[in-house]
Amino acid sequence: MEPAQPADRVPADRTPPDGQPPADVPAGPGGEPAATEPTPPPPTGSGKSERSPKDMAISLLVLLVPIALLLAFYRGFLGGDQATTVDPAPAIEQARSANVFPVSQPRGLSSDWTTVSARYQTVEGGANLRLGYLTPEGRGVQLLQSSVPADRLLPAELTSQGQPQGPTELAGRTWQLYTARGNQQALVLLEPTRTVIVIGDARDNELRELAGSLG
């Protein structure tokens, strides 16, 4: 039986001598503290998307369906593709009341012709009445009646590209066929107190129909 240890026994001092590593730290071959391996970081993903083409197509479809529904509502219920129709009567009446030049109004056009603009205004050198139409084929045509002198009006409306192509008879009047800007062409009626221009990118038969309808 071992003799009892004194109750006030002091634990052994584990502090190493100067220059030595602590007792609990492994020492290297030369007595220096052994290097410890760093804890490796947790594995991370490769960063590549794992979504299949099918998943991407479904996501795109989910985005496109609401857009298609909104577009259908806009066209079907709000008339998104329909041209705005205006009443030309106030502008025509204003031009007639001014009594600057004789005013003609198209008559006999089918309901497929849509009036999309109408404006009478005084300008330098005279006054203009402009009526804009959408033809049955969906092309734009403008009817201009003006008291501005033709030598100033034609270059302004037809640009320098406007060149006469010869006369043509319409409803008992002699019109001049002109080229105009871009793919447009024009019919021009020269009278002592006014000049009438029918201009647009419509086909020749539609230009003639509008010019021949003037009463």
Side-chain angles (χ1 to χ4, degrees):
M1 182 174 179
E2 295 182 0
Q5 299 293 330
D8 57 351
R9 182 179 178 180
V10 178
D13 188 2
R14 298 177 61 87
T15 303
D18 292 342
Q20 298 297 322
D24 293 338
V25 178
E32 71 280 0
T36 58
E37 294 292 334
T39 304
T44 58
S46 60
K48 295 183 179 179
S49 174
E50 297 180 357
R51 298 180 63 187
S52 66
K54 180 180 179 181
D55 294 334
M56 298 177 65
I58 293 176
S59 300
L60 183 60
L61 183 62
V62 171
L63 292 175
L64 291 179
V65 168
I67 296 176
L69 292 176
L70 288 174
L71 183 59
F73 177 78
Y74 174 71
R75 290 182 173 179
F77 294 93
L78 301 181
D81 287 342
Q82 299 178 1
T84 302
T85 303
V86 303
D87 182 9
I92 293 174
E93 182 59 32
Q94 185 180 3
R96 285 176 173 164
S97 298
N99 199 28
V100 178
F101 52 82
V103 177
S104 297
Q105 182 175 357
R107 301 186 183 278
L109 295 176
S110 70
S111 59
D112 293 332
W113 285 79
T114 304
T115 307
V116 295
S117 64
R119 184 182 183 186
Y120 173 79
Q121 63 179 153
T122 57
V123 296
E124 183 179 356
N128 294 332
L129 173 62
R130 296 180 186 270
L131 304 178
Y133 295 91
L134 195 64
T135 74
E137 294 186 6
R139 299 177 180 273
V141 177
Q142 183 179 113
L143 168 62
L144 170 63
Q145 302 176 66
S146 177
S147 62
V148 177
D151 58 350
R152 293 177 51 188
L153 182 68
L154 295 183
E157 298 295 327
L158 308 182
T159 74
S160 59
Q161 303 175 27
Q163 299 295 327
Q165 303 297 305
T168 183
E169 293 293 324
L170 293 171
R173 295 170 174 168
T174 301
W175 295 71
Q176 296 289 331
L177 179 63
Y178 274 78
T179 58
R181 63 175 65 89
N183 62 340
Q184 294 183 351
Q185 57 181 345
L187 289 169
V188 177
L189 178 65
L190 300 174
E191 293 182 339
T193 57
R194 71 169 181 174
T195 299
V196 183
I197 301 176
V198 177
I199 182 172
D201 62 354
R203 297 181 185 274
D204 181 72
N205 64 308
E206 289 184 322
L207 292 178
R208 291 174 179 273
E209 182 179 358
L210 179 57
S213 70
L214 297 180

